[in-house]
Amino acid sequence: MQAKALKLRETSSFVVEWLKAPLVTASVIPSSQRLAKKMVVGLDASVEQVIELGPGTGVFTNAILAAGVSEAALVLVELNAKFATQLQHKYPQATVINGSAESLAHFGLGKADRVISGLPLLSIRDVDVDAILGAAFSVMKPGAALVQFTYGYKCPVKPALMLKHGLMARRENFVLNNFPPAYVYHIYKR
Ligand SMILES: C[S@@+](CC[C@H](N)C(=O)[O-])C[C@H]1O[C@@H](n2cnc3c(N)ncnc32)[C@H](O)[C@@H]1O
């Protein structure tokens, strides 16, 4: 009952934030738990640091923790101040940064085993996606993956940016049980 009430509160909070800034929040409701599970495949208790970009109300964050990653190993970077405050309250041992993914390289973080992105890349300007990719790969261990979901079939990073950053993408999963259905990509340095 309590879990249902919390989910309802988080969904309404998401709708309110979407109404305030539709292009930044970019989805009317949070992602499904089915998608969240696919976003964290391969994570376990051995990872030292996971950075999550655009956690919103924490659907992927819960799945990262359920995969065995410790809360203290989590860095959550969220642009929306209200979501950031809620996240810090919900995950007191995580490092919550109310800032932009574009600035990731300036937060003095160690190297991450993985970056999980809930960012709406398709509604972010190319120049900012360029900055996000540069920043994300500068704070990742060699060979680490940036995990990104998208509502389109294609990888949401444009080919020119893939080339510029020396990246390759692998489509890992399709999740029908999400609104809208979503694909999960793993993006690596070549
Ligand atoms: C589509 S929602 C995804 C939320 C959550 N991960 C989920 O799947 O339900 C996008 C989230 O990214 C955040 N966001 C958008 N642009 C951002 C940026 N440049 N840096 C950090 N967070 C950003 C929004 O505030 C929002 O919480």
Side-chain angles (χ1 to χ4, degrees):
M1 195 65 184
Q2 240 180 359
K4 267 195 180 165
L6 179 65
K7 194 171 172 206
L8 190 66
R9 210 168 48 232
E10 289 182 349
T11 303
S12 6
S13 149
F14 213 90
V15 175
V16 170
E17 296 311 305
W18 176 76
L19 285 169
K20 284 194 225 158
L23 284 182
V24 176
T25 308
S27 171
V28 194
I29 54 168
S31 297
S32 69
Q33 298 200 10
R34 210 49 89 77
L35 174 58
K37 269 195 181 161
K38 299 293 184 194
M39 290 292 286
V40 304
V41 168
L43 287 180
D44 58 34
S46 70
V47 304
E48 290 172 337
Q49 181 167 268
V50 176
I51 300 175
E52 187 183 351
L53 306 176
T57 50
V59 175
F60 296 165
T61 321
N62 290 338
I64 296 169
L65 295 173
V69 175
S70 76
E71 201 175 296
L74 268 180
V75 178
L76 309 175
V77 181
E78 174 54 61
L79 193 59
N80 179 303
K82 189 174 164 203
F83 285 154
T85 305
Q86 288 171 350
L87 290 163
Q88 189 65 86
H89 185 69
K90 201 167 161 191
Y91 311 105
Q93 292 173 52
T95 303
V96 178
I97 297 169
N98 178 207
S100 75
E102 290 87 326
S103 315
L104 196 54
H106 306 298
F107 301 141
L109 305 170
K111 298 279 182 192
D113 298 276
R114 195 165 284 193
V115 173
I116 305 279
S117 168
L119 297 174
L121 283 195
L122 291 176
S123 55
I124 296 179
R125 296 178 311 161
D126 287 353
V127 62
D128 296 325
V129 175
D130 188 7
I132 290 166
L133 292 173
F137 281 94
S138 77
V139 297
M140 283 157 75
K141 292 180 182 170
L146 164 68
V147 183
Q148 177 68 54
F149 77 95
T150 181
Y151 303 134
Y153 176 73
K154 287 193 301 191
C155 173
V157 179
K158 293 199 174 139
L161 286 178
M162 294 294 286
L163 197 64
K164 177 177 174 187
H165 291 274
L167 304 176
M168 59 183 184
R170 226 174 40 213
R171 194 183 317 113
E172 292 285 334
N173 268 299
F174 170 64
V175 181
L176 186 61
N177 190 342
N178 189 69
F179 180 77
Y183 293 89
V184 177
Y185 279 87
H186 283 200
I187 302 171
Y188 300 91
K189 278 275 183 199
R190 279 184 189 280

